Each structure stands twice: as C-alpha cells, then as structure tokens.
Amino acid sequence: MILASRNKGKAGEFERLLGRALDVRPLPSGVRLPEEKGRTFAENARLKAEAVFAALGGKEAVLADDSGLEVSALGGRPGVLSARFAGESATDEENVRKLLEELGGRTDREARFVCALCLLVPDERAAGKGAYRSIEVQGSSDGAVTTTARGTGGFGYDPVFRPVGWGVTLAEADAGRKDSVSHRGAAARALLDRLVGEEEAEDGT
Ligand code: IMP
C-alpha cells in the first residue's frame, strides 16, 4: 500500500510498525496531498487517503495518517494544526519553541498525542470504478510537555513530550521504546487487528 505522507519521521515509524506484515511504499513524487481542512484528525486522514486514492486511479491501497499534539492547558491546541503551529512552513524546532513559550512557567502541562489512520482498499466486488472499502482507527498516548527540549531521536514534538510514567522524553528513547507507547504504535496495532479480523471473517475462521 501507498503511504499518503511526505513526513520522513512518520514514514520510518510506519515501516517499523507495519513493515513486517504489509508492503508500505512511499508516495509517488507527482501526487499532491490536499490541504488539511478537516476539524478532526480523522477527517484529515480521510481527506488525504481519498485524494491520493483518486490520484492513483483507484487501483492501489492507500494509508493516510493525521496526527498531532493536544495540550490541555491550551484547550487542545495545537491539535490538527500541530505541523503548522508556528506558521505555514514552520520547522519542528520553531513549533517546539512556540509551544514552550505559550506554556511558559505553567505547571499543568498534560498533553496527548493522537494518530488517526485511514486505509482505503480497492474493492473489486463493489460496483463502479474507484470503489473502495475503508478501515479507520485511532490511537493516543498520554504524557506531559517538559519545560526544556531534550534528546535527538524521533521528530516533531518528541523532545518535549514525556509519556506517563517515563523519566525521559520520546526523543531520548530508542525507536522501539517509542513505538511501544506511541499514538502511532497504538493506531498501527489497531489497524493490524482489524485487518486480521476481516481476513478471519472472510475465511470463516
Ligand atoms: P500532520 O502531517 O498534519 O499529521 O502533522 C503532524 C504533526 O504533528 C507533525 O509535524 C508533528 O509536529 C506532530 N507529530 C505527530 N506525530 C508526532 C510524533 O510521533 N512525535 C512528535 N511530533 C508528532
């Protein structure tokens, strides 16, 4: 299946999380991703999956992800705007700096990462060209925003996110440890469960 994303951090994680069970391929360079106009992660994941599915002629399975960080003290921001928090083409460092500035010296720093996945699979049995069946799942991961950035692993807000029960940030942990608690890990496991469930239902097992 084609991954509807150009985020290298995400692509590496999907390869680790799904690569043993599924053939995850990069988005062909000519395919444009739509503007993320949705109000929820799930809406945006579906928008991306449908646009890429159509652009590829409805012949290939497409997996889209939309994810971000919800900070309680900021009323859930940056949320769906996580990638663009500090501006339209902001870097990870700029977004992290803005987040730390907005939180300032606040002590209530609870946050959660959310990942919505939308998988569209061509459905040859359904009437009409471009028909598909969809599987939509979501995963989340609770934690807190630290007061300073620490670590060099991962991407995005990883240097300032400390999962519940951890003494280090996601950017200080190795990849496998991040996958075991991350929102993307949870969503990927939910997706694999659904795929196995569907396969078993088709086989009548
Ligand atoms: P999207 O491409 O609209 O889904 O943007 C996701 C943005 O949320 C990324 O650019 C990061 O800023 C943030 N984000 C999502 N997942 C993670 C993660 O696993 N670690 C750190 N930041 C993340």
Side-chain angles (χ1 to χ4, degrees):
M1 68 195 181
I2 304 292
L3 182 63
S5 174
R6 296 217 153 80
N7 181 318
K8 290 199 177 75
K10 285 184 186 179
E13 292 193 8
F14 280 120
E15 184 51 43
R16 288 201 307 268
L17 290 161
L18 300 173
R20 261 184 294 167
L22 302 165
D23 180 14
V24 186
R25 305 218 173 131
L27 187 62
S29 54
V31 178
R32 282 186 54 179
L33 286 166
E35 212 182 308
E36 295 182 15
K37 289 200 208 127
R39 281 164 302 133
T40 64
F41 296 110
E43 274 177 30
N44 277 336
R46 191 162 185 114
L47 275 176
K48 287 188 249 187
E50 284 177 344
V52 171
F53 188 84
L56 295 173
K59 291 190 220 81
E60 306 202 56
V62 172
L63 176 68
D65 143 298
D66 198 59
S67 51
L69 183 68
E70 293 180 337
V71 180
S72 307
L74 303 180
R77 287 188 308 130
V80 290
L81 298 178
S82 291
R84 297 165 273 163
F85 192 36
E88 207 42 53
S89 45
T91 63
D92 286 346
E93 291 71 26
E94 288 165 346
N95 286 330
V96 163
R97 202 176 315 131
K98 178 168 167 63
L99 178 64
L100 293 181
E101 274 167 17
E102 283 218 17
L103 281 175
R106 288 186 77 131
T107 51
D108 51 335
R109 305 179 76 89
E110 292 78 24
R112 69 171 193 160
F113 272 121
V114 180
C115 170
L117 293 181
C118 177
L119 173 67
L120 300 184
V121 183
D123 190 348
E124 298 91 25
R125 288 169 303 186
K129 215 169 138 228
Y132 56 71
R133 61 194 176 87
S134 67
I135 299 180
E136 292 172 68
V137 293
Q138 197 156 304
S140 65
S141 170
D142 292 326
V145 178
T146 54
T147 50
T148 53
R150 293 197 312 255
T152 53
F155 68 99
Y157 299 92
D158 281 348
V160 289
F161 186 83
R162 184 175 48 74
V164 167
W166 284 31
V168 295
T169 68
L170 283 175
E172 294 175 288
D174 66 41
R177 192 169 176 216
K178 174 176 177 181
D179 293 345
S180 71
V181 300
S182 81
H183 51 312
R184 199 162 291 103
R189 285 186 287 277
L191 179 71
L192 290 175
D193 282 352
R194 287 276 298 274
L195 287 170
V196 169
E198 287 200 358
E199 207 165 293
E200 284 174 356
E202 268 176 30
D203 292 351
T205 51

